[in-house]
Amino acid sequence: MPELPEVEHAARCLRSWLAGRTIVRAEVEQSRVIGPSAPRTVAKALTGRHLVKLERRGKYLLFTFDKGQGALAHLGMTGKWLRRTPDDPPSHSRLRLFLDDGAVLHYRDPRMFGLFYLEPAEGLHRLRPVAQLGPEALDPKLDLAEVLRGSKQPVKVALMDQSRLAGLGNIYAAEVLYQVRIDPRRKAGELRPAEYKALERAIRQVLKRALKLQDVPEEITYVEEGGDNPFQVYGRPKERCRRCGGKIASFTQAGRTTWWCPGCQR
Ligand SMILES: [Zn+2]
């Protein structure tokens, strides 16, 4: 499932694919991904546009095109941007941008939890889902003790709360807690000062490692799609912990599966 590193990868790809290009035509399927706008309206608004800038905020992509046209996009659970030749379309393509270099950019999303909403470019940062995001997980000035202050939520759940901290999801929250040996059930507001500092470092390390792994020019395969599993605990129930030899366990927390090592996370 896409989290900060995967969304950042999508942003880097899209910036390079769209640099200096014009969208000569767009095709948009009727689906909940494109929101309340009619497919025809979206296609028309994108035709003739070029990208001015593309920002990532948390797990959102903020597109600014010329003529003040903008779009807010999210990859949801299975979304992915792909560049293909016209004769090689992927399945589940919800939106297609035909570029003046002959390439076709597809937004592919089998489960359709993602979105691509047309919005005026100047108002993108004021949109509610963007305005309510907490600080970026990779912000060098991140103060986790402040971010989690007073939280009675389990620390794993609080780390995934985008209004506290933007960018971490189920996978990376589990991975950073494993790295610092913290039990995911502990109360987020009650860690020791040294533990907040260690968590800040772990977040940077784990996300930067993921960004490096994904420093590939084209498509990445999500681990749920059968890609390599580079993670220490995520998706490894009953395997041995590489640190203490104990068994990796999983349980449900706020409706999501949490993986951890009961042997060395306290
Ligand atoms: Zn262990």
Side-chain angles (χ1 to χ4, degrees), residues 27-31 34 39 93-96:
E27 285 178 2
V28 183
E29 306 281 333
Q30 175 78 56
S31 80
I34 63 149
S93 171
R94 308 301 176 192
L95 180 142
R96 295 174 280 289

Side-chain angles (χ1 to χ4, degrees), residues 178 241 243-244 246 261 263-264:
Y178 173 78
C241 168
R243 199 159 54 198
C244 75
C261 176
C264 60

Side-chain angles (χ1 to χ4, degrees), residues 178 181 233 240-248 260-265:
Y178 173 78
R181 304 176 187 235
V233 286
R240 292 281 166 198
C241 168
R242 293 171 197 183
R243 199 159 54 198
C244 75
K247 246 189 204 157
I248 307 291
W260 70 305
C261 176
C264 60
Q265 288 180 256

Side-chain angles (χ1 to χ4, degrees), residues 46-116:
L46 295 173
T47 299
R49 300 283 66 76
H50 62 261
L51 186 72
V52 174
K53 68 176 168 181
L54 175 58
E55 299 161 278
R56 181 193 57 76
R57 180 74 177 92
K59 297 187 235 173
Y60 285 94
L61 294 168
L62 283 60
F63 290 82
T64 297
F65 299 101
D66 61 321
K67 305 220 164 166
Q69 183 61 60
L72 178 68
H74 195 286
L75 301 176
M77 294 175 71
T78 54
K80 197 182 273 190
W81 285 89
L82 300 169
R83 179 170 67 170
R84 294 287 172 87
T85 54
D87 56 358
D88 182 28
S91 60
H92 307 291
S93 171
R94 308 301 176 192
L95 180 142
R96 295 174 280 289
L97 306 177
F98 295 80
L99 306 185
D100 59 351
D101 63 355
V104 188
L105 306 190
H106 295 261
Y107 176 63
R108 175 182 195 271
D109 193 348
R111 295 187 62 186
M112 296 192 288
F113 288 106
L115 58 90
F116 184 92

Side-chain angles (χ1 to χ4, degrees), residues 20 25 27 66 70 74 140 149 159 163 190 192 206 216 230 266:
R25 187 162 66 86
E27 285 178 2
D66 61 321
H74 195 286
R149 188 184 303 280
L159 286 173
S163 66
E190 296 178 4
R192 292 191 296 277
V206 168
V216 288
R266 300 293 159 89

